[in-house]
């Protein structure tokens, strides 16, 4: 039996993870903005479900709730930073508040959860840090710029952090799903494109949720297997769309860099 700490467990991938883990006999510290969302699971699983209210943008709350979970449960093997949200629209059309809230929820909160979890994992002799990224942390679509800024930010932060904390026995897993059938796209704020952007690249709504390839249970299962494996991977690319789009984009990026090799080297010399 292992013990997990999960943010954003009210619905979607977070809730699916909680349900899978409890069904398999693991212990879960689930955090949600509204703990009543977990009443049914508390009734069914009793003490194996520890729950607490947490808005991940409340950094003091993150520190307090993580500390309490580790103290109450004695040990937490896997910390999953899952909470996230989307704001879609032409980059120019988003309000300052939408930009700041998106960065606060998806990037700053992920960084602060990790900064509070790492010392606790280190003190207990190791563990696994699972950070939800996205194929949107490796590729981009017009109309999603601020979401990409947060997920590419997550990728850079956690790749560097992974090397820092590996010597303490802490593994880091960046989860990069494709489009998964959750309420994410319905919950996302959509900013109508302004006149200059109408009919342009940013004016493309996401596909209907029913047509998205990713399943919640498939993603939850893959995260559990990876986190509990002997050698958790730094990047866990999931779903067929993510695999095709990311491998193609990375190949094209490499080819574009290589095509500019001479000019890259030439810039070493005084001009
Ligand atoms: N669905 C996809 O296609 C997809 C693909 C790649 C990556 N992801 C990533 O996977 C993660 C989960 O997404 P999902 O598809 O499961 O989305 P979802 O169904 O919309 O669930 C999002 C979860 O995050 C919580 N949350 C949002 N803001 C929060 C805050 N400030 N504090 C605490 N909790 C907060 C929500 O809680 P409330 O119920 O309180 O709002 C909810 O539990 C996200 O990081 C997302 O970026 C999703």
């Amino acid at each position: 039996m292992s013990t997990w700490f999960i943010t954003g467990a009210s619905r979607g991938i977070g809730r699916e993870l909680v349900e899978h883990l409890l069904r398999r006999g693991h212990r879960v510290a689930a955090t949600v903005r509204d703990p009543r969302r977990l009443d049914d699971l508390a009734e069914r699983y009793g003490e194996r479900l520890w729950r607490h209210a947490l808005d991940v943008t409340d950094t003091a709350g993150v520190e307090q709730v993580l500390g309490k979970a580790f103290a109450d449960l004695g040990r937490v093997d896997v910390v999953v930073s899952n909470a996230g949200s989307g704001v879609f629209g032409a980059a120019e059309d988003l309000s300052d508040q939408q930009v700041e809230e998106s960065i606060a929820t998806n990037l700053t909160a992920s960084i602060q959860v990790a900064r509070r979890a790492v010392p606790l994992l280190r003190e207990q002799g190791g563990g696994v840090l699972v950070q939800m990224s996205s194929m949107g942390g490796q590729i981009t679509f017009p109309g999603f710029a601020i979401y990409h800024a947060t997920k590419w930010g997550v990728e850079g932060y956690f790749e560097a952090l992974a090397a820092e904390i590996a010597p303490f026995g802490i593994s880091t897993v960046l989860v990069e799903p494709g489009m998964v059938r959750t309420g994410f796209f319905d919950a996302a704020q959509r900013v109508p494109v302004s006149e200059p952007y109408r009919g342009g690249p940013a004016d493309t709504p996401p596909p209907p949720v029913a047509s998205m390839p990713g399943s919640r249970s498939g993603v939850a299962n893959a995260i559990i297997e990876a986190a509990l494996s002997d050698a958790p991977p730094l990047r866990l690319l999931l779903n067929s769309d993510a695999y095709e789009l990311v491998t193609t984009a990375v190949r094209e990026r490499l080819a574009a860099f290589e095509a500019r090799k001479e000019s890259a080297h030439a810039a070493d010399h005084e001009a």
Side-chain angles (χ1 to χ4, degrees), residues 66-84:
L66 261 170
K68 187 164 167 42
F70 274 73
D72 287 356
L73 300 170
R75 178 181 176 84
V76 174
D77 302 289
V78 186
V79 173
V80 186
S81 200
N82 163 74

Side-chain angles (χ1 to χ4, degrees), residues 8 15 31 70 83 94-95 101 103 113 126 134 142 169 173 184 217 232 240 243 252:
R15 162 102 187 190
T31 68
F70 274 73
L94 269 55
S95 68
E101 282 178 2
I103 293 171
V113 168
S134 166
V173 180
F184 180 84
S217 64
S240 50
Y243 184 84
E252 287 174 359

Side-chain angles (χ1 to χ4, degrees), residues 15-175:
R15 162 102 187 190
E16 190 79 17
L17 254 181
V18 174
E19 290 186 22
H20 273 248
L21 288 163
L22 290 171
R23 271 206 304 275
R24 295 180 199 189
H26 298 283
R27 200 164 52 147
V28 183
T31 68
V32 282
R33 286 195 279 203
D34 176 1
R36 287 171 303 183
R37 303 288 294 272
L38 299 173
D39 281 352
D40 56 329
L41 296 181
E43 208 166 292
R44 207 177 320 153
Y45 293 102
E47 287 197 342
R48 279 202 292 117
L49 176 65
W50 182 102
R51 57 182 167 153
H52 210 289
L54 180 62
D55 181 324
V56 293
T57 60
D58 168 12
T59 304
V62 166
E63 178 158 342
Q64 191 249 324
V65 174
L66 261 170
K68 187 164 167 42
F70 274 73
D72 287 356
L73 300 170
R75 178 181 176 84
V76 174
D77 302 289
V78 186
V79 173
V80 186
S81 200
N82 163 74
S85 60
V87 182
F88 305 133
E92 186 185 330
D93 292 336
L94 269 55
S95 68
D96 290 348
Q97 194 183 349
Q98 285 168 325
V99 169
E100 279 155 21
E101 282 178 2
S102 208
I103 293 171
T105 304
N106 292 358
L107 179 57
T108 310
S110 299
I111 290 170
Q112 297 297 21
V113 168
R115 277 164 41 81
R116 268 61 185 184
V118 164
L120 298 166
L121 293 170
R122 192 164 38 76
E123 277 158 30
Q124 71 178 18
V128 184
L129 198 55
V130 175
Q131 173 61 49
M132 289 306 292
S133 177
S134 166
M135 70 173 171
Q138 291 284 339
I139 58 170
T140 63
F141 298 101
F144 293 75
I146 197 65
Y147 184 73
H148 293 308
T150 65
K151 294 299 188 183
W152 282 62
V154 153
E155 292 272 338
Y157 185 86
F158 282 84
E159 183 177 292
L161 179 69
E164 293 182 16
I165 62 182
F168 306 125
I170 306 173
S171 306
T172 304
V173 180
L174 278 159
V175 184

